[in-house]
Amino acid sequence: MSAEHPTIVAAIEAAAARLDAAGVSYGHGTTNAFDEAAWLVLWRLGLPLDALDDVAGRPLSADEQAAIDALIQQRISTRRPAAYLTQEAWLQGVSFHVDERVIVPRSLIAEPLADGTLDAWLGEDTRQVLDLCTGNGSLAVLAAMAWPEVHVDAADISDDALAVARINVDRHGLAERIRLLHSDGLAALPGPYDLVLCNPPYVNSASMAALPAEYRAEPALALAGGEDGMDFIRRLLAELPQRLSPHGVLVLEIGHEREHFEAAFPALAPVWLSTSAGDDQVLLLDRDALSALSVS
């Protein structure tokens, strides 16, 4: 390898060093500089993202190196998540279109959905699924893929988000089984639903104020949950029992807000589902537990 013609892996290593030196933040599909750089470099070269081992030693042309340098500089100077630059993100290995109209899909609900954990709470009568706060539609798509017999309502208050969700529903050929609905919370959704998946805005005010620039590039509507992060969730838990079937369950993501959740709902004893981020970020409640809840 000469200095004039670095290999792909050398370009990735150099890009990773630039990203780290610039202090960019990760968390929108990668967790470290090397993986972020590999994503951007391989995408810029039009190569499969799982092909690094096969192409690592290939020399780059001067034009390719210049294109990579420009993309890395764009990532650094704009602090836009890589997914916005490439307009693609993955959840459980499934590709989704993404742009600034929606947050980058990363819901931990995808894990128990895809690995079969949720199947224990479903039954033969599970037919109607709701993905509330659907964003780009990724959880709705994964649910339809996991359970071919169900129909999914994918709802969001944002028309922009629903437009992105339409792209993904059509991309995966699921328009006959996923219905996209505009709704402020549950207002336009009569139900009854056998399963509700919800990754709502739950970030508390103090955390919102401290978010890195990459997260501030996302629509605040999809993140900000009020002073304690529970504003949307209070409404949801109060209204949901009337929208659930007798055997219905809610799977709710609350991220790092367990302390605030338990302070807001001390009478609840949810089932906490294991995820790669821990055992306290995704919870499950059945209709009986929700019906017994008195929300002030």
Side-chain angles (χ1 to χ4, degrees):
M1 181 192 78
S2 68
E4 291 77 18
H5 298 285
T7 62
I8 288 176
V9 71
I12 290 171
E13 290 169 346
R18 288 180 64 192
L19 293 173
D20 261 349
V24 304
S25 291
Y26 311 108
H28 293 89
T30 67
T31 60
N32 60 77
F34 184 88
D35 289 348
E36 185 99 349
W39 178 5
L40 290 171
V41 169
L42 292 171
W43 175 79
R44 181 77 287 169
L45 296 175
L47 296 170
L49 300 189
D50 59 357
L52 178 55
D53 288 346
D54 298 327
V55 301
R58 176 167 82 73
L60 294 173
S61 69
D63 287 345
E64 287 175 328
Q65 183 64 65
I68 289 168
D69 288 343
L71 181 61
I72 298 302
Q73 184 56 45
Q74 185 182 15
R75 174 69 177 86
I76 291 169
S77 61
T78 67
R79 289 304 202 265
R80 292 165 67 203
Y84 287 163
L85 301 179
T86 66
Q87 296 204 327
E88 188 172 27
W90 292 262
L91 202 57
Q92 293 297 306
V94 179
S95 171
F96 294 99
H97 173 82
V98 64
D99 58 43
E100 282 88 347
R101 292 175 290 177
V102 293
I103 63 172
V104 178
R106 52 187 177 272
S107 176
L108 294 166
I109 292 174
E111 296 178 14
L113 189 164
D115 68 18
T117 297
L118 296 185
D119 293 357
W121 282 274
L122 309 181
E124 295 180 357
D125 297 328
T126 301
R127 291 292 182 271
Q128 300 298 322
V129 174
L130 169 63
D131 176 24
L132 185 60
C133 307
T134 194
N136 81 330
S138 52
L139 288 182
V141 167
L142 292 177
M145 289 178 169
W147 304 303
E149 69 279 6
V150 308
H151 286 81
V152 183
D153 282 352
D156 206 288
I157 193 173
S158 167
D159 286 326
D160 280 344
L162 291 170
V164 178
R166 169 55 61 197
I167 294 171
N168 287 312
V169 169
D170 291 347
R171 170 186 286 191
H172 293 288
L174 292 167
E176 292 186 1
R177 293 177 48 224
I178 298 177
R179 178 172 61 165
L180 299 175
L181 299 169
H182 180 275
S183 184
D184 181 356
L186 294 169
L189 308 172
Y193 294 105
D194 306 308
L195 172 65
V196 175
L197 309 172
C198 185
N199 179 26
Y202 57 68
V203 182
N204 70 70
S205 295
S207 294
M208 282 294 297
L211 285 177
E214 283 82 355
Y215 291 85
R216 295 199 301 274
E218 298 181 290
L221 179 68
L223 297 172
E227 185 65 25
D228 65 351
M230 296 294 115
D231 285 2
F232 183 95
I233 294 170
R234 285 187 180 87
R235 283 181 51 205
L236 172 64
L237 298 192
E239 299 171 3
L240 187 57
Q242 291 72 42
R243 309 312 206 280
L244 283 178
S245 63
H247 54 273
V249 296
L250 165 69
V251 178
L252 177 69
E253 180 168 335
I254 61 164
H256 297 286
E257 304 290 346
R258 179 171 180 168
E259 181 179 351
H260 286 130
F261 179 86
E262 292 180 337
F265 311 105
L268 280 179
V271 176
W272 293 95
L273 303 178
S274 294
T275 72
S276 59
D279 299 339
D280 59 357
Q281 301 200 30
V282 176
L283 60 90
L284 182 145
L285 291 161
D286 62 21
R287 188 175 184 269
D288 289 342
L290 288 166
S291 298
L293 177 66
S294 176
V295 180
S296 59

